[in-house]
Amino acid sequence: MKKITSTKRETAAAFLKKVAKEFGFNSNGFSVYLNRNKTGEVLSQNKTLSLLKIKHGDMLFLFPSSAGPSKDEIDQYLSKQEDYLNHLDPPVKHMSFHAYIRKLTGGADKGKFVALENISCKIKSGCEGHLPWPEGICTKCQPSAITLNRQKYRHVDNIMFENHTIADRFLDFWRKTGNQRMGYLYGRYTEHKDIPLGIRAEVAAIYEPPQIGTQNSLELIEDPRAAAVEEIAAKLGLRKVGWIFTDLLSEDTRIGTVRYSRNKDSYFLSAEECITAGHFQNQHANPCRLSPDGHFGSKFVTVVATGGPDNQVHFEGYQVSNQCMALVRDECLLPCRDAPELGYAKESSSEQYVPDVFYKDKDKFGNDITYLARPLPVEYLIIDITTTFPKDPVFTFSSTLRFPIENRDALGETQDFHSLATYLAQCSSSLPFLDIVSDFHLLLFLVTNEVMPLRDSIGLLLDAVKTSNEELAQTWKKSEQWATIEQLCSDRQALWIMPWVVHLSQHPPLPCGLASTAPS
C-alpha cells in the first residue's frame, strides 16, 4: 500500500499520472477503482478529485491491466520449454535469466511467493510523520543501503552480427577519419541454444544517429528522425537491441594494427560508459510478470569495437547489472574524472538523499572486507557477453550495393537524390528489384528525405523486404511514388552534368597550340 499526496483541486488525470509514476506503470497499464470489487473506476479526465468525491484518507484500489506486461516473443517461447532440468545449475559463468526464473519457481510452491523487486534509491513519497527531506526522514520512507553483488544471471547470453559487412561498414568511418563512432543496433532476440534457456541478440543493421566524434570523445545530437527510424524498423520486424561504439587507436598503419588498451590492467568499460549503458537499459526495460512493477532488468546490450590482444579489431559485448541500472535511474552514480575505471556513489545533499552504497572485496589475507563505494570499481557493475559472427553469413538486407550511410556528411557521403541516382546506375537490368531496395539505409532515406518522403506509402515495400517477396516488391515498383523517385533521380543527373557544360563554354578561345582540359 502506498500513499499518494494530492489536493482537492487536482484533476483525476494528474492524479493518475502520479499513481503511474509511483508504481512504475505506463499510462494504460493499470486501473484505479473506488471499491475493491472493481466498481467506481477513476477515469483520466479533467474533473477534480473533490467533484469525484475523493477526499483525504480515502483508500483506492489499483489493479494492473488484465493482460499484464506485454512479454517479448522470445520470453513467451522460452517460458514454455520443458526440456530444461530445474535442479541442475547451468555450467556457465552467468546463468540465463529464464534459467534463473526456473530456479526461483522450481520449488514445491512453484514460485507462488516469488517477486523480483526493482531497487529504489529514492525516498518513498507520502510519509506524513515528519517534514520532507532535508528537514526529516524516517525508517519507513528511507531507502535501504545497497551492497553491490556480481550478478549471477544475464538477460542476454550472446550477441551475433548477421554478417561481417554490417560491422565493416560501421568501422569505415573510423578508418577514414580516425574519429570514434557510435550507432544503434537493430535486430531481433532469438534463442541461444548453447546455454540452457539462453537468449541471443541478432544484429541485422546499424543506424548512426547525428553525432560529433573526435579521436577520444563522442557527443550525441538530437535526432529529428528517431521516431521514423523506430517505425521503419518495427515494420521490418526489427527492434533496437543495443548500441555500439568504437574505441580505436592505430598502432601501426603499415600493417593495420590497433592498440590493445582495454584489459584487466586498465578497464573494460569506463564508469561514464557504464552510466550511458545503464541509461539505455532503463529506457528499454524488460517486461516481467514476476515483478510488481511489470518490468525487471533489460535486454539492451552494449558492444565496444576496440583493440584485442592480437592488435586486431575485436567486438566485446556487455550489459550493466540491474543494481547499476537503479543507481543510474535515480541519479546516484558519477564517473571519476581522472580514473575511467572508477565510479563514485554520490553523497546526500539538501536536494537529494542518497543511500549508502557498498561493495565487498578481499584483503591480502583473503578476508571479505566491505568498502564504501566512494570510489567504486565499475567491474562490480559489468556483465560480459560473448559477441560472435556466424560461420554462414545471414542477410536480412540482401543488397550487395552500398547506399551511403546516414549522417556521414563529414566524410562527404551524403544521402540525396544524386547519391540515389548513382546507386541505381550501378544496378544491372537483370538484378531483381528486391535486391536493389533491400538496404536498410536506402529505406531510411526513402522515408525521411525532405523532397519526397514516402512514410505513408512505403508499407508494401517494407513488407516485401521483411518477407523477401519479389512479387510484392515488383507491385510497389509500379506505383506512382517510384515513378516520381526515378524522375527525380533523372533530374539530379541532368543537374550534375549541366554546370560543367556552362563552365566550359565561358572559357575564351585559347591561342593556337594550347590545349584545355575539363576539371576533374
Side-chain angles (χ1 to χ4, degrees), residues 176-463:
K176 294 176 180 178
T177 66
N179 294 333
Q180 308 306 331
R181 196 67 173 166
M182 176 269 187
Y184 291 117
L185 306 173
Y186 281 87
R188 55 188 71 83
Y189 295 112
T190 61
E191 182 182 10
H192 180 49
K193 296 183 179 180
D194 293 346
I195 291 177
L197 303 179
I199 292 177
R200 166 182 284 160
E202 290 187 5
V203 180
I206 299 176
Y207 169 71
E208 300 177 16
Q211 57 193 280
I212 299 173
T214 68
Q215 289 186 358
N216 53 20
S217 69
L218 275 171
E219 179 186 354
L220 291 183
I221 303 171
E222 185 177 353
D223 186 3
R225 298 192 291 183
V229 176
E230 288 292 302
E231 182 181 329
I232 296 164
K235 290 181 178 179
L236 290 166
L238 305 176
R239 61 189 295 184
K240 194 185 289 183
V241 298
W243 68 303
I244 182 173
F245 64 92
T246 61
D247 180 21
L248 294 165
L249 187 64
S250 291
E251 181 81 10
D252 189 335
T253 55
R254 295 171 301 172
I255 56 176
T257 54
V258 293
R259 185 170 298 176
Y260 177 41
S261 58
R262 291 177 181 246
N263 50 59
K264 62 182 178 62
D265 296 323
S266 56
Y267 60 91
F268 296 103
L269 282 183
S270 70
E272 193 167 8
E273 291 158 1
C274 286
I275 292 170
T276 305
H279 171 72
F280 285 142
Q281 288 180 209
N282 280 312
Q283 286 183 331
H284 300 84
N286 183 55
C288 181
R289 63 178 177 82
L290 293 179
S291 170
D293 302 321
H295 59 84
F296 189 75
S298 173
K299 295 190 190 77
F300 200 84
V301 300
T302 297
V303 177
V304 188
T306 187
D310 57 355
N311 297 111
Q312 299 298 312
V313 177
H314 285 231
F315 294 88
E316 308 293 345
Y318 303 98
Q319 281 194 303
V320 294
S321 66
N322 294 5
Q323 289 181 323
C324 179
M325 288 175 60
L327 293 174
V328 172
R329 183 196 62 231
D330 295 336
E331 300 179 351
C332 298
L333 185 62
L334 298 172
C336 288
R337 178 176 297 177
D338 300 321
E341 74 279 9
L342 297 176
Y344 192 90
K346 288 172 66 174
E347 299 181 46
S348 296
S349 66
S350 58
E351 290 80 24
Q352 180 187 9
Y353 176 83
V354 180
D356 287 331
V357 182
F358 302 96
Y359 69 94
K360 290 184 178 181
D361 203 353
K362 293 186 182 296
D363 62 14
K364 61 182 180 180
F365 303 108
N367 301 313
D368 285 333
I369 305 295
T370 299
Y371 297 95
L372 186 63
R374 299 185 185 124
L376 161 68
V378 295
E379 63 190 69
Y380 284 84
L381 309 175
I382 298 172
I383 302 160
D384 59 294
I385 305 173
T386 304
T387 304
T388 59
F389 292 83
K391 293 180 180 178
D392 300 315
V394 179
F395 293 87
T396 295
F397 301 99
S398 57
S399 177
T400 56
L401 305 173
R402 292 193 171 190
F403 187 74
I405 294 175
E406 60 284 336
N407 300 311
R408 286 193 172 187
D409 294 4
L411 282 179
E413 299 177 7
T414 57
Q415 288 189 342
D416 52 30
F417 280 92
H418 171 67
S419 58
L420 178 57
T422 304
Y423 175 84
L424 296 176
Q426 302 174 55
C427 306
S428 66
S429 57
S430 61
L431 191 65
F433 183 67
L434 180 63
D435 288 344
I436 296 173
V437 296
S438 186
D439 180 287
F440 184 68
H441 308 288
L442 169 60
L443 294 171
L444 289 182
F445 170 73
L446 292 177
V447 170
T448 61
N449 76 87
E450 296 179 354
V451 178
M452 188 182 172
L454 302 179
R455 192 167 184 171
D456 299 326
S457 55
I458 202 172
L460 186 64
L461 181 61
L462 296 179
D463 285 342

Side-chain angles (χ1 to χ4, degrees), residues 146-158:
I146 299 170
T147 299
L148 298 175
N149 300 305
R150 299 183 192 274
Q151 193 164 291
K152 296 180 180 179
Y153 58 87
R154 54 189 176 188
H155 293 274
V156 173
D157 306 283
N158 178 257

Side-chain angles (χ1 to χ4, degrees), residues 34-194:
L34 299 176
N35 306 303
R36 190 186 296 273
N37 62 358
K38 294 189 178 182
T39 59
E41 183 176 0
V42 180
L43 301 174
S44 181
Q45 53 186 314
N46 289 325
K47 287 186 178 180
T48 62
L49 296 180
S50 60
L51 287 175
L52 295 173
K53 297 182 179 179
I54 298 174
K55 58 186 183 298
H56 175 71
D58 280 355
M59 182 178 290
L60 303 178
F61 300 89
L62 181 147
F63 294 89
S65 297
S66 57
S70 177
K71 294 173 67 175
D72 291 339
E73 287 185 17
I74 184 62
D75 292 324
Q76 295 178 31
Y77 171 78
L78 291 176
S79 65
K80 298 174 183 177
Q81 300 306 299
E82 300 294 341
D83 58 351
Y84 173 71
L85 299 178
N86 294 316
H87 62 279
L88 291 181
D89 287 336
V92 290
K93 180 179 178 182
H94 298 282
M95 70 170 68
S96 68
F97 181 60
H98 278 269
Y100 176 69
I101 290 178
R102 292 289 180 93
K103 191 171 183 178
L104 293 179
T105 59
D109 61 0
K110 300 298 181 183
K112 182 179 179 180
F113 302 105
V114 171
L116 298 176
E117 297 280 353
N118 289 295
I119 297 170
S120 176
C121 305
K122 292 185 176 180
I123 295 175
K124 294 178 182 178
S125 61
C127 192
E128 299 176 351
H130 53 78
L131 293 173
W133 176 265
E135 279 74 26
I137 194 170
C138 69
T139 55
K140 291 182 180 179
C141 62
Q142 181 181 8
S144 301
I146 299 170
T147 299
L148 298 175
N149 300 305
R150 299 183 192 274
Q151 193 164 291
K152 296 180 180 179
Y153 58 87
R154 54 189 176 188
H155 293 274
V156 173
D157 306 283
N158 178 257
I159 303 166
M160 187 183 77
F161 289 83
E162 286 188 345
N163 54 74
H164 283 279
T165 303
I166 299 169
D168 284 340
R169 292 200 68 187
F170 176 71
L171 292 178
D172 276 344
F173 187 91
W174 173 78
R175 293 187 182 115
K176 294 176 180 178
T177 66
N179 294 333
Q180 308 306 331
R181 196 67 173 166
M182 176 269 187
Y184 291 117
L185 306 173
Y186 281 87
R188 55 188 71 83
Y189 295 112
T190 61
E191 182 182 10
H192 180 49
K193 296 183 179 180
D194 293 346

Side-chain angles (χ1 to χ4, degrees), residues 433-435 437 460-476:
F433 183 67
L434 180 63
D435 288 344
V437 296
L460 186 64
L461 181 61
L462 296 179
D463 285 342
V465 174
K466 178 182 177 180
T467 58
S468 300
N469 190 321
E470 174 66 24
E471 186 177 344
L472 278 181
Q474 286 292 339
T475 301
W476 190 85

